[in-house]
């Protein structure tokens, strides 16, 4: 084996619930991967938090295991490490860099009043236009402004508001940085000028000095602290690359680049994304525009109600066997759903159990089964549930198509791995569909970024072209027409029920 | 079935069974007012309803029991009838001194933990439990050859079945993430305890093999590695935030010595705890 072949690149993705580390050779083939999960704590109903030290230790533990079990014994030399991370987290640290409590993560809703108050205003609109991040409790802008009003003591003690990813990089290298891509999901970063947005900083009540230092995604100056070089067995010159957000890298790793392509991710939540060199301007503020690099924007819309809704259904109504297994139950449900024709014989489901983000952006929206008649069976409920989740995804795609032409879809995430779901996406959208594993996409995206930084590819565009995914599903025209007839009703109901959503959400307290 | 009451120290039937504080059976044909006031109990009590519908106050909360249900009252909890009355019906009960069971120390500790963590004191449709109580009653009155061994077995079996039923009831196997979250909280709340895999598995109602597999696939770690993760994470916080000495940090986070702590910490982080503390309090 020659020296060239034994070089490898590590990608570390700190996702919403787990860290995944991949090792790639320089051709992009996976040498090995490992994951380790960390919990999300909900000490109050709207709170979602993670323990930064636990995330750090988990990263270190998984990294160490992968190195000791696969990389060092295989004779590979790590030449670069690239980071990816979940968006929207906020971790306040004091002047010594010590965390002041837990990190507030993406799904935290404590700032819903602050978000609502800002959203309708002219300054809210201006901040959205400048930062590309919808005014929503997920946004660090809102989280920090919540803290200013409701957790003054912590706010006052905070020397810097980091992201979880920034904290991990700081622990490993000593640098307080955030890449443009992750910064562009904070609601505090101007996506046109690549600096912190003054109006947003003013709203949050902080100066730019309270945030990590901004760096490009290719930034590669940091080096591992000496102790970690020794304990991990990594060379002092191992390149540390800032990297990007998980969403941006998943899009790159799915080969979605330039015109005509969109990517759909369905995990617990979901998103539809496109990439382009222009910001998507939407009067109704329905989309996010996140940065990948200076020339590329990942635009799209997120949904709260992805696979989590199907899991809810499986838990509540799935087949009860002695040793219950959620995956078994979901397999069984999908088998049953496939016996019902497209359109579920007229049963419709609005999947807004968790309120909804794109495209309706209504935290008070709720779930609805509609059109039930005496012929409907349990199986109809199963199929209608899946169709409803995908109609919602389609409604995001359709709104995106007002701005961009989409010819093919690249889909990823654990739920798109079910052929039944993949085919249904193809039928509803009437487009050919390619399937890719999501955690693979993020890792591959981070690899492509690193390889581009190292000059293996000339540009990210060229790098994205090497992602080769065969088309696996083609649309069925008849089913498409059936779905479209019901989708019209779905869309109408979603807007018609506005008042009733408000009232029922109020009654639910 | 007749009403009767055996009490430790008064009834000679219980002489051989110091762990049974009380065993009784009651059949009520007319409503008995003021006969069942809410009082604090010193023992573990289990009431099994054979007939009727009872509205009882357990630990300050009203609970409705139907035939086949078993009510579980822990030492120090209050217990009695709503409006202090006893409705028409029939039930059995037993009061036990849990510290005098014949279970192994480890199992007894796990079972006590499960009982303490339980927050719903009614086990619905628990025919197995009722059956055992019935057998205990029969053995106590019959006193046939072998009854002493049999009764000791039966009281242990009752505790085991209750613990198993509670873990089933409280830990949805349909939702391992949620179950795991509860375990995580329990581990964090008692980090200084020397947890074993058996204890952790018992808390969530799984056998050790199934538990280890589930944890591994859910977290990527073995249960013990996962626990070490939490221990080190908490130790890091203590090292950064306070000036308590290293031995106390070690013991608070469940390491059995500062040496053990130091070795584990260095293996994972590359720093000894004191280097780590120095780095995080001096510079930056």
């Amino acid at each position: 084996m020659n020296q060239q072949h034994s070089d490898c690149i590590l990608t570390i993705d700190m996702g919403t619930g787990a860290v995944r580390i991949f090792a790639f050779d320089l051709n992009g083939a996976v040498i090995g991967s490992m994951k380790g999960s960390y919990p999300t704590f909900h000490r109050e109903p709207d709170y979602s938090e993670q323990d930064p030290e636990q995330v750090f230790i988990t990263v270190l533990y998984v990294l160490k295991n992968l190195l000791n079990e696969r990389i060092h014994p295989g004779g590979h030399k790590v030449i670069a490490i690239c980071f990816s991370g979940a968006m929207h987290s906020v971790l306040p640290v004091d002047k010594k860099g010590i965390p002041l409590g837990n990190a507030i993560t993406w799904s935290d809703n404590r700032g819903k009043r602050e978000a609502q108050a800002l959203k309708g205003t002219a300054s809210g609109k201006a901040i959205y236009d400048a930062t590309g991040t919808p005014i929503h409790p997920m946004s660090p802008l809102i989280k920090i402004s919540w803290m200013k009003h409701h957790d003054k003591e912590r706010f006052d003690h905070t020397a810097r508001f980091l992201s979880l990813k920034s904290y991990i990089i700081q622990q490993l290298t000593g640098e307080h940085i955030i890449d443009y891509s992750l910064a562009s999901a904070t609601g505090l970063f101007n996506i046109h000028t690549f600096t912190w947005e003054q109006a947003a900083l003013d709203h949050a009540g902080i100066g730019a000095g309270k945030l990590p230092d901004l760096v490009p995604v290719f930034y590669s100056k940091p080096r591992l602290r000496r102790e970690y070089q020794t304990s991990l067995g990594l060379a002092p010159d191992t390149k540390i690359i800032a990297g990007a957000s998980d969403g941006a890298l998943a899009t790159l790793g799915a080969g979605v680049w330039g015109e005509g392509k969109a990517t759909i991710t369905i995990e617990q939540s979901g998103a539809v994304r496109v990439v382009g060199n222009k910001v998507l301007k939407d009067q109704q503020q329905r989309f996010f525009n996140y940065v990948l690099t200076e020339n590329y924007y990942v635009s799209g819309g997120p949904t709260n109600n992805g696979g989590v809704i199907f899991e809810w259904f499986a838990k509540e109504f799935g087949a009860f066997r002695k040793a219950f297994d959620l995956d078994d139950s979901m397999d069984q449900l999908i088998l049953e759903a496939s016996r019902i024709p497209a359109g579920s014989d007229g049963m419709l489901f609005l999947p807004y159990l968790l309120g909804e983000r794109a495209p309706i952006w209504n935290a008070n929206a709720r779930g609805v089964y509609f059109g039930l008649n005496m012929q409907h069976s349990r199986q109809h409920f199963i199929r209608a549930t899946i169709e409803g989740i995908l109609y919602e995804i389609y409604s995001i795609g359709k709104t995106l198509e007002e701005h961009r032409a989409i010819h093919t879809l690249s889909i990823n995430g654990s739920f798109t791995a079910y052929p039944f779901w993949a085919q249904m996406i193809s039928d509803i959208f009437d487009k050919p569909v390619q399937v890719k594993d999501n955690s693979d996409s993020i890792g591959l995206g981070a690899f492509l970024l690193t390889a581009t930084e190292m000059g293996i590819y000339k540009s990210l565009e060229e790098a994205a072209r090497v992602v080769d995914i065969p088309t696996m599903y083609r649309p069925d025209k008849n089913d498409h027409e059936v779905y479209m007839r019901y989708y019209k009703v779905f869309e109408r109901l979603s807007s018609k029920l506005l008042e009733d959503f408000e009232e029922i959400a109020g009654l639910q307290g | 079935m007749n009403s009767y009451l055996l009490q430790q120290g008064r009834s000679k039937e219980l002489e051989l069974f110091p762990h049974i504080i009380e065993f009784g059976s009651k059949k009520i044909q007319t409503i008995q007012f003021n006969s069942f006031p809410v009082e604090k109990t010193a023992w573990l009590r289990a009431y099994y309803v054979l007939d009727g519908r009872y509205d009882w106050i357990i630990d300050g909360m009203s609970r409705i029991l139907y035939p086949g249900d078993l009510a579980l009252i822990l030492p120090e909890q209050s217990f009695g009838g709503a409006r202090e009355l006893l409705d028409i019906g029939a039930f059995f009960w037993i009061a036990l001194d849990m510290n005098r069971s014949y279970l192994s120390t480890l199992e007894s500790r796990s079972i006590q933990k499960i009982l303490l963590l339980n927050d719903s004191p009614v086990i619905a449709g628990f025919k197995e439990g009722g059956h055992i109580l019935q057998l205990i009653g029969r053995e106590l009155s019959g006193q046939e050859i072998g009854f002493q061994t049999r009764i000791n077995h039966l009281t242990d079996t009752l505790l085991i079945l209750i613990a198993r039923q509670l873990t089933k009831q409280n830990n949805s196997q349909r939702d391992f993430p949620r179950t795991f979250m509860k375990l995580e909280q329990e581990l964090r709340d008692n980090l200084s305890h020397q947890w074993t895999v058996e204890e952790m598995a018992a808390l969530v109602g799984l056998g050790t093999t199934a538990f280890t597999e589930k944890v591994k696939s859910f977290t990527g770690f073995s249960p013990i590695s996962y626990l070490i993760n939490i221990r080190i994470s908490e130790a890091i916080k203590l090292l950064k935030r306070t000036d308590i000495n290293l031995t106390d940090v070690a013991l608070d986070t469940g390491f059995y010595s500062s040496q053990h702590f130091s070795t584990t910490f260095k293996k994972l982080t590359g720093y000894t705890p004191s280097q780590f503390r120095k780095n995080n309090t001096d510079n930056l």
Side-chain angles (χ1 to χ4, degrees):
Chain A
M1 198 190 279
N2 65 32
Q3 194 58 43
Q4 190 64 31
H5 266 98
S6 70
D7 282 352
C8 79
I9 292 172
L10 295 186
T11 64
I12 300 182
D13 171 41
M14 288 153 286
T16 53
V19 52
R20 286 185 184 77
I21 306 186
F22 283 85
F24 292 90
D25 70 16
L26 297 191
N27 299 313
V30 176
I31 298 167
S33 75
M34 276 187 193
K35 80 148 197 180
S37 68
Y38 31 79
T40 302
F41 303 101
H42 308 279
R43 58 190 170 92
E44 309 256 343
D46 275 328
Y47 286 29
S48 294
E49 301 182 344
Q50 282 171 345
D51 175 353
E53 307 298 5
Q54 190 172 18
V55 174
F56 174 59
I57 285 301
T58 307
V59 169
L60 214 49
Y61 213 131
V62 175
L63 180 58
K64 205 175 170 88
N65 283 349
L66 183 68
L67 287 169
N68 289 343
E69 287 171 29
R70 308 294 294 276
I71 306 306
H72 298 323
H76 304 285
K77 179 177 189 268
V78 178
I79 55 170
I81 300 176
C82 179
F83 288 92
S84 144
M87 295 185 281
H88 313 306
S89 66
V90 174
L91 175 65
V93 300
D94 69 11
K95 56 184 192 302
K96 287 178 179 164
I98 296 170
L100 298 165
N102 283 338
I104 305 174
T105 61
W106 68 281
S107 58
D108 192 286
N109 261 328
R110 72 186 72 177
K112 56 189 178 192
R113 286 202 186 82
E114 282 70 17
Q116 223 158 17
L118 179 61
K119 189 162 183 186
T121 65
S123 79
K125 170 92 171 57
I127 289 176
Y128 166 76
D129 286 343
T131 65
T133 305
I135 306 296
H136 184 273
M138 70 184 180
S139 153
L141 160 74
I142 300 296
K143 286 167 175 158
I144 295 172
S145 122
W146 178 91
M147 214 181 290
K148 182 180 65 179
H149 293 112
H150 303 279
D151 197 354
K152 192 82 173 67
E153 202 186 327
R154 183 148 76 132
F155 181 86
D156 288 341
H157 274 96
T158 302
R160 287 197 200 236
F161 295 92
L162 302 180
S163 70
L164 262 174
K165 178 177 147 178
S166 304
Y167 180 65
I168 304 304
I169 293 180
Q170 190 275 326
Q171 289 293 291
L172 291 170
T173 69
E175 292 207 29
H176 286 101
I177 56 169
I178 188 166
D179 60 83
Y180 291 164
S181 171
L182 202 62
S184 72
T186 61
L188 296 158
F189 176 80
N190 187 308
I191 57 172
H192 312 279
T193 63
F194 295 86
T195 53
W196 295 116
E197 166 64 23
Q198 194 55 49
L201 295 178
D202 292 346
H203 183 80
I206 57 173
K210 293 252 171 173
L211 293 167
D213 303 333
L214 287 166
V215 297
V217 295
F218 292 117
Y219 181 73
S220 63
K221 285 219 186 72
R223 289 294 173 264
L224 279 179
R225 286 181 159 153
R226 197 155 25 86
E227 287 79 0
Y228 294 120
Q229 295 169 14
T230 317
S231 69
L232 296 169
L234 294 172
D237 61 348
T238 308
K239 201 177 252 191
I240 305 292
I241 295 177
S245 72
D246 55 359
L249 289 173
T251 310
L252 173 63
V256 173
W257 207 259
E259 287 297 295
K261 279 187 172 180
T263 169
I264 295 174
T265 305
I266 310 178
E267 296 282 1
Q268 297 286 300
S269 57
V272 186
R273 306 185 184 95
V274 293
V275 175
N277 47 20
K278 285 204 185 70
V279 169
L280 271 192
K281 295 209 164 101
D282 187 65
Q283 277 308 312
Q284 298 166 59
Q285 309 180 34
R286 288 173 299 183
F287 303 122
F288 55 72
N289 284 288
Y290 298 140
V291 168
L292 181 46
T293 70
E294 287 88 330
N295 310 313
Y296 293 103
Y297 295 93
V298 175
S299 309
T303 165
N304 292 343
N305 301 293
V308 65
I309 300 303
F310 191 56
E311 280 189 8
W312 161 79
F313 188 91
K315 276 179 211 156
E316 297 303 323
F317 310 112
F320 219 143
R321 290 205 205 121
K322 212 172 174 196
F324 183 86
D325 183 283
L326 191 59
D327 291 329
D328 275 358
S329 168
M330 292 198 290
D331 288 345
Q332 183 62 32
L333 288 175
I334 287 170
L335 194 70
E336 291 185 59
S338 66
R339 302 203 175 109
I340 302 294
S344 300
D345 292 320
M347 187 194 289
L348 262 176
F349 173 57
L350 310 191
Y352 311 128
L353 273 68
L354 293 168
E356 190 50 290
R357 290 186 281 168
I360 61 172
W361 293 95
N362 180 359
N364 289 329
R366 291 293 179 268
V368 177
Y369 284 96
F370 182 77
L372 277 61
N373 67 43
M374 287 300 277
Q375 263 66 52
H376 285 137
S377 66
R378 185 173 162 278
Q379 273 94 344
H380 286 93
F381 277 92
I382 307 169
R383 182 161 188 130
T385 302
I386 302 173
E387 289 179 350
I389 296 168
L390 296 182
Y391 285 147
E392 154 57 22
I393 302 260
Y394 176 67
S395 68
I396 303 173
K398 199 164 162 269
T399 340
L400 276 172
E401 278 190 298
E402 293 168 16
H403 302 266
R404 295 274 171 82
I406 300 170
H407 306 301
T408 59
L409 298 170
S410 168
I411 66 175
N412 58 54
S414 26
F415 290 87
T416 61
Y418 295 110
F420 182 74
W421 287 55
Q423 184 62 53
M424 199 185 281
I425 292 172
S426 178
D427 295 341
I428 292 179
F429 277 80
D430 195 23
K431 296 183 200 313
V433 158
Q434 307 169 323
V435 184
K436 185 101 176 69
D437 182 79
N438 188 40
S439 52
D440 289 4
S441 294
I442 297 171
L444 185 58
F447 163 79
L448 293 174
L449 187 89
T450 310
T452 306
E453 194 276 342
M454 292 167 52
I456 296 174
Y457 304 109
K458 279 205 288 291
S459 64
L460 289 176
E461 198 157 5
E462 185 188 302
R465 272 201 292 272
V466 308
V467 181
D468 176 36
I469 319 164
T471 295
M472 291 157 124
Y473 298 89
R474 298 202 168 276
D476 178 306
K477 297 284 172 200
N478 292 330
D479 283 356
H480 174 68
E481 280 166 24
V482 174
Y483 287 133
M484 286 309 98
R485 286 200 285 274
Y486 289 118
Y487 176 72
K488 263 194 279 178
V489 186
F490 176 95
E491 202 176 38
R492 250 192 339 256
L493 277 177
S494 299
S495 54
K496 242 186 207 167
L497 290 174
L498 205 61
E499 277 178 23
D500 305 281
F501 283 150
E502 294 302 319
E503 187 164 345
I504 201 79
L507 290 173
Q508 290 172 358
Chain B
M1 194 202 78
N2 299 313
S3 297
Y4 61 89
L5 172 63
L6 304 177
Q7 282 181 311
Q8 191 61 245
R10 285 192 200 162
S11 316
K12 66 174 175 20
E13 289 92 335
L14 296 183
E15 267 170 17
L16 289 167
F17 309 103
H19 62 296
I20 303 182
I21 307 301
E22 216 175 273
F23 188 90
S25 163
K26 209 168 195 116
K27 188 166 187 178
I28 302 134
Q29 275 151 336
T30 53
I31 293 180
Q32 301 179 358
F33 293 98
N34 307 320
S35 67
F36 203 32
V38 177
E39 283 167 354
K40 207 176 244 185
T41 171
W43 314 105
L44 175 75
R45 291 172 175 272
Y47 285 72
Y48 181 78
V49 176
L50 281 169
D51 193 16
R53 174 190 179 279
Y54 287 98
D55 186 355
W56 285 341
I57 310 282
I58 305 173
D59 199 22
M61 296 267 289
S62 163
R63 310 275 178 179
I64 310 289
L65 282 97
Y66 295 97
D69 293 355
L70 184 124
L72 200 63
I73 300 100
L74 303 184
E76 296 307 307
Q77 286 185 341
S78 60
F79 171 57
R83 289 168 287 132
E84 302 199 345
L85 58 75
L86 271 176
D87 273 308
I88 295 165
F91 55 87
F92 275 120
W93 76 96
I94 192 167
L96 290 171
D97 181 352
M98 285 221 295
N99 297 320
R100 285 177 183 244
S101 76
Y102 295 84
L103 300 161
S104 76
T105 322
L106 182 71
E107 284 182 329
S108 163
R109 203 170 61 187
S110 287
I111 287 175
Q112 295 200 24
K113 181 131 228 166
I114 289 165
L115 295 181
L116 284 175
L117 281 177
N118 172 54
D119 48 16
S120 79
V122 175
I123 308 179
F126 192 41
K127 291 238 159 57
E128 269 176 301
H131 181 61
I132 289 180
L133 278 174
Q134 226 149 2
L135 286 177
I136 294 175
R138 221 176 284 161
E139 291 286 341
L140 280 171
S141 61
Q143 308 212 338
E144 275 182 67
I145 177 76
F147 78 100
Q148 191 181 351
T149 308
R150 192 98 205 279
I151 286 172
N152 288 337
H153 274 173
L154 285 167
T155 48
D156 287 347
T157 309
L158 182 66
L159 288 176
I160 293 167
L161 285 181
I162 287 174
R164 286 189 183 173
Q165 193 61 33
L166 287 180
T167 52
K168 257 185 224 145
Q169 189 168 298
N170 294 339
N171 296 289
S172 165
Q173 301 311 323
R174 303 189 142 211
D175 196 347
F176 188 73
R178 186 178 292 178
T179 297
F180 189 76
M181 201 57 224
K182 277 166 70 181
L183 175 66
E184 161 117 19
Q185 202 52 55
E186 192 50 34
L187 296 177
R188 284 171 170 268
D189 290 347
N190 297 285
L191 210 50
S192 60
H193 176 68
Q194 295 300 313
W195 290 95
T196 63
V197 179
E198 288 76 10
E199 269 178 293
M200 292 190 250
L203 268 190
V204 303
L206 287 170
T208 49
T209 317
F211 173 71
T212 304
E213 262 173 41
K214 282 224 167 200
V215 172
K216 179 91 192 151
S217 82
F218 180 64
T219 69
F221 296 107
S222 73
I224 290 298
S225 295
Y226 193 84
L227 180 62
I228 291 176
N229 258 4
I230 303 180
R231 293 205 156 123
I232 300 277
S233 314
E234 287 304 310
I236 286 183
K237 279 184 219 163
L238 293 176
L239 288 174
K240 282 183 177 176
R241 285 177 194 163
T242 61
D243 46 8
I244 50 176
N245 70 59
L246 295 183
T247 310
D248 287 343
V249 172
L251 297 179
D252 280 359
T253 52
F255 295 94
Y256 46 79
S257 69
S258 54
Q259 189 54 45
H260 175 222
F261 171 47
S262 192
T263 323
T264 316
F265 194 89
K266 168 123 203 209
K267 219 170 116 187
L268 196 58
T269 67
Y271 295 89
T272 64
S274 48
Q275 282 170 334
F276 185 88
R277 171 172 272 172
K278 197 164 179 306
N279 270 325
N280 278 283
T281 41
D282 290 356
N283 60 17
L284 291 160

